[in-house]
Amino acid sequence: MKVAISTNGKNLESTIDERFGRCRYFLIVETDDMHYDVVENTYADLSTGAGIQAAGFIGSKGVETVITGNCGPKAMQVFAATDIKLILGQRGVIKEVVETFKRGELSPLTREKVSEKAGVPQTAAAPGVGRPGMGESGRGMGGGGGRGMGGGGGRGMGRRCQGASAAGSPGFQNTSGSVSKQEQLVQLQQQAAELKIQMETIQTRIKDLT
């Protein structure tokens, strides 16, 4: 099994960097024989979106599990949508942590925990705080003008869906121009992950109300 570990070092004796998106390197370790490759995190110095970009990059490496300390909500959504397991709260020497993982002593987050922790689309918000698309003054999914279903002051999902992209698909940002193909791919993967989680939450909400 391939696992990716965030680190600032280049070997198994290095320690885990607890910052997923801002680490300098990823060690991609084959747990069967402990063979590893060192991959530079070229997104570490981005002003914004480092975690999302890194998550999309790691997803392209055939990794099944990511081991790190902390991970931002957007990156967590990417992992949830691509079925990559995520193990958080880890620190210490990489070799020792991988051995602990091989013994089955580390538990990955479930999809439910990922959605709740990520806060998108905020299904765990307290009553009265508001949920996307459910608040009294929430903006609708299409053009952003519809009234929501429940109580509270949540903003709807329509803000992301205003306008249309150059390709004519509503709800997607225009990824043309100076943006590279890799960045476009990561953006589209992020958008797909968000939409998938939003739709799952809407379906759950519908079942709760029927």
Side-chain angles (χ1 to χ4, degrees), residues 28-200:
I28 299 180
V29 182
E30 177 55 64
T31 58
D32 292 340
D33 57 10
M34 297 300 287
H35 174 79
Y36 64 89
D37 293 316
V38 181
V39 180
E40 182 180 0
N41 179 14
T42 58
Y43 308 106
D45 294 325
L46 291 179
S47 57
T48 59
I52 299 171
Q53 300 279 12
F57 173 69
I58 287 298
S60 70
K61 296 296 182 179
V63 168
E64 298 179 49
T65 300
V66 170
I67 300 175
T68 187
N70 300 299
C71 185
K74 298 294 186 180
M76 292 170 71
Q77 292 174 44
V78 173
F79 291 138
T82 54
D83 294 325
I84 295 177
K85 296 180 177 63
L86 179 62
I87 297 175
L88 297 178
Q90 302 306 305
R91 63 188 65 180
V93 177
I94 291 175
K95 183 177 181 180
E96 296 175 358
V97 174
V98 173
E99 292 295 342
T100 302
F101 169 75
K102 291 170 65 175
R103 293 194 298 268
E105 298 176 11
L106 300 180
S107 300
L109 269 67
T110 62
R111 178 179 292 272
E112 291 75 14
K113 289 181 179 179
V114 168
S115 299
E116 179 178 354
K117 186 175 182 64
V120 178
Q122 298 179 2
T123 56
V129 175
R131 298 173 178 175
M134 303 297 178
E136 181 178 349
S137 59
R139 298 172 68 86
M141 290 179 61
R147 294 177 65 85
M149 295 173 58
R155 299 180 67 83
M157 292 183 290
R159 290 183 63 84
R160 184 173 295 275
C161 298
Q162 292 178 358
S165 68
S169 299
F172 290 92
Q173 299 176 357
N174 189 346
T175 56
S176 60
S178 60
V179 181
S180 70
K181 288 184 178 181
Q182 177 64 27
E183 290 173 329
Q184 291 180 44
L185 175 61
V186 172
Q187 289 175 5
L188 291 173
Q189 289 175 334
Q190 174 199 353
Q191 292 165 353
E194 292 178 358
L195 289 174
K196 183 176 181 179
I197 294 174
Q198 289 171 352
M199 291 304 298
E200 289 176 352

Side-chain angles (χ1 to χ4, degrees), residues 197-210:
I197 294 174
Q198 289 171 352
M199 291 304 298
E200 289 176 352
T201 303
I202 291 172
Q203 293 295 334
T204 301
R205 184 64 174 162
I206 290 172
K207 291 179 181 179
D208 291 341
L209 295 174
T210 56

